[in-house]
Amino acid sequence: MNESRPASMSSFWMPFTNNRDFKANPRLLVSAEGMYYKDVDGNTVLDGTAGLWCVPCGHNQPKIVAAVREMVGQLDFAPTFQMGHPAAFDLAEKLMDYTGRRFGHVFYTNSGSEAVDTALKMALAYHRARGEAGRTRLIGRERGYHGVGFGGISVGGIGGNRRTFGPLLPGVDHLPHTHNLDKNAYSRGEPEHGANLADELERIVALHDASTIAAVIVEPVAGSTGVLVPPKGYLKRLRELCTKHGILLIFDEVITGFGRLTTPFAFDYFDVVPDMVTCAKGLTNGMVPMGAVFTRQHIHDAFMDGPAGIELFHGYTYSGHPLACAAALATLDVFEEQKILDNAKAVQEYWTDAVHSLKGLPHVIDIRTIGLVAGIELAPIDGKPGARAFGAFKKAFAEGVLIRTTGDIIALSPPLVLEKKHIDELFGKLATILKNLD
């Protein structure tokens, strides 16, 4: 791989990036190991974001690297339309074990965005298969992020992701978000106030009638919008209401899946089992793109009880790609063999205390923590929303720390292999940056 600066950077149109700003002063990564990246100038950069929420086991895990190398030399590609390969079935069984057998089946995709659109299509097709074809309405939540497919941005609730792309899907409504700075600022774990916001689903049911609603989709913890943690009892109440009205509940666990809350999934942490779960990112430790939808048994069986033939006219060329399956199988092995979740639980309190030690620093107006994830909200600069946090991002990278920002919120989600020394380094540098931030 080229470890020097590219001769030109003009041809690559970068995603979710201020391209002109970046290319004037690029941040180029060339290698990674454990908790650190190395940039093109040879500087080490502590990874405070697990790449893009997707490297829970740390970078360059030898077992995962070896598994992908072995598979690419054995089976570079195999279609999964009307045929298959053993690794896809082995992985499905292992994933169902990892969920505690709360789910019965896995449908493979290549990303979180595809997993979301797949789950939404499954929800619509499920009701049709059961003779309730009138259930076509989808309910998302304000400030929700569900990827960038047309289904995902329709049920999503982040304005910047929606406004450019026209009217989107019809028949979509949104629950209110749960963020409340007045009552829940500086919460550790689930905030006290706001469980009643789940009852807004009753208002939506009264408006549209339950017989028209197919599914509700939420992130158990909203990540990309700035780490919004659900109030105590909120998700349980949402589950009760969906069950009451025959509405499917989908958890988007693309970020929270695979240990982010120190449990395998957020549904374990909150003890709330949805009808479907979308996941990606940590599924392969970020090494090979892959996503998946987990379904409860009744979802799958509704399709299998229909006429003989193809039960679901949906899928992707790379669904269950051999390299992705190899990476995911090895990732699950690493979780178990290296006791990744045990380490996450062991450092969780130290992490939480370190994050909240930033309270009182200039511009900090809220801190939110749960598991090994944190949101640090900064007061915006008048007339320049997002500029203050983005300034912190640039300064942090220059000081050898990778953070993520969304609006004026710093979001942190380190690899789960971090140690106390990494926490000290991260927050020592971040505190200095905040003290000197414009």
Side-chain angles (χ1 to χ4, degrees):
M1 173 183 154
N2 178 24
E3 293 193 7
S4 60
R5 294 181 182 276
S8 172
M9 291 188 293
S10 64
S11 297
F12 178 24
W13 190 347
M14 300 171 67
F16 278 111
T17 296
N18 181 335
N19 279 251
R20 290 163 291 184
D21 178 84
F22 174 87
K23 291 172 183 179
N25 187 22
R27 295 167 291 277
L28 297 170
L29 306 172
V30 297
S31 65
E33 183 81 23
M35 285 291 300
Y36 291 89
Y37 282 107
K38 183 181 287 184
D39 74 8
V40 72
D41 297 316
N43 302 307
T44 58
V45 181
L46 175 62
D47 185 0
T49 62
L52 199 60
W53 309 84
C54 57
V55 189
C57 300
H59 295 278
N60 200 20
Q61 274 282 350
K63 182 161 191 167
I64 307 173
V65 173
V68 173
R69 282 177 174 162
E70 180 180 358
M71 184 60 85
V72 77
Q74 174 186 335
L75 184 65
D76 58 347
F77 174 77
T80 50
F81 294 7
Q82 303 289 11
M83 59 187 69
H85 61 91
F89 296 92
D90 292 342
L91 175 60
E93 290 299 321
K94 200 163 187 175
L95 285 170
M96 292 301 90
D97 287 342
Y98 197 62
T99 71
R101 289 284 163 181
R102 294 179 179 87
F103 297 83
H105 299 274
V106 181
F107 193 101
Y108 296 122
T109 69
N110 307 293
S111 67
S113 294
E114 290 181 358
V116 165
D117 279 17
T118 295
L120 297 178
K121 290 176 71 175
M122 282 181 169
L124 298 174
Y126 164 78
H127 288 296
R128 180 177 289 272
R130 295 173 58 254
E132 293 190 66
R135 288 186 180 263
T136 60
R137 191 171 299 278
L138 304 168
I139 310 300
R141 187 167 59 186
E142 296 168 358
R143 294 189 67 168
Y145 179 74
H146 301 292
V148 295
F150 271 98
I153 60 174
S154 297
V155 295
I158 298 178
N161 294 349
R162 295 165 54 88
R163 70 172 62 98
T164 308
F165 306 109
L168 307 180
L169 295 184
V172 174
D173 209 334
H174 291 80
L175 293 162
H177 66 75
T178 62
H179 189 34
N180 188 327
L181 264 179
D182 291 336
K183 292 185 176 181
N184 291 325
Y186 299 100
S187 294
R188 297 181 180 224
E190 299 165 83
E192 294 292 334
H193 302 279
N196 60 298
L197 291 170
D199 289 323
E200 286 295 302
L201 182 58
E202 291 280 32
R203 177 187 59 79
I204 292 174
V205 167
L207 176 65
H208 300 296
D209 194 81
S211 65
T212 70
I213 301 175
V216 170
I217 181 168
V218 295
E219 301 160 276
V221 176
S224 294
T225 194
V227 186
L228 305 186
V229 182
K232 291 178 180 178
Y234 173 87
L235 292 175
K236 286 184 180 294
R237 179 59 176 157
L238 206 55
R239 172 71 278 182
E240 291 170 0
L241 293 175
C242 286
T243 301
K244 172 184 174 182
H245 294 293
I247 299 167
L248 296 180
L249 178 61
I250 304 168
F251 275 6
D252 184 342
E253 294 227 32
V254 170
I255 282 176
T256 53
F258 302 97
R260 183 48 54 194
L261 304 187
T262 74
T263 54
F265 296 93
F267 63 74
D268 297 299
Y269 186 96
F270 296 110
D271 191 26
V272 176
V273 182
D275 298 289
M276 288 189 274
V277 168
T278 64
C279 65
K281 293 189 183 290
L283 173 57
T284 63
N285 203 48
M287 189 166 291
V288 180
M290 191 182 209
V293 180
F294 304 158
T295 70
R296 299 282 296 279
Q297 191 68 40
H298 63 277
I299 305 290
H300 173 268
D301 289 351
F303 293 92
M304 299 306 133
D305 290 340
I310 295 173
E311 296 92 4
L312 180 64
F313 282 83
H314 176 71
Y316 305 95
T317 299
Y318 301 111
S319 292
H321 193 286
L323 302 190
C325 289
L329 283 163
T331 296
L332 292 172
D333 284 344
V334 169
F335 263 98
E336 180 178 357
E337 293 166 6
Q338 297 187 18
K339 301 186 184 305
I340 300 293
L341 294 182
D342 288 348
N343 183 72
K345 291 172 183 175
V347 300
Q348 178 182 207
E349 184 176 355
Y350 194 84
W351 162 266
T352 301
D353 288 343
V355 182
H356 283 274
S357 72
L358 302 179
K359 182 179 180 180
L361 292 185
H363 314 302
V364 174
I365 60 173
D366 189 27
I367 294 172
R368 306 180 282 277
T369 52
I370 189 169
L372 289 187
V373 61
I376 303 159
E377 188 159 352
L378 307 180
I381 298 172
D382 289 344
K384 296 181 179 179
R388 176 161 282 145
F390 193 59
F393 165 78
K394 287 184 172 181
K395 288 178 182 292
F397 191 87
E399 293 298 322
V401 173
L402 179 63
I403 64 176
R404 176 165 167 72
T405 64
T406 173
D408 275 298
I409 300 165
I410 296 171
L412 300 172
S413 55
L416 306 182
V417 296
L418 86 166
E419 302 171 20
K420 289 182 179 179
K421 64 182 180 181
H422 302 124
I423 297 173
D424 292 341
E425 179 183 356
L426 172 59
F427 290 103
K429 290 183 175 180
L430 191 53
T432 300
I433 289 163
L434 291 172
K435 289 174 184 176
N436 295 282
L437 194 62
D438 294 334

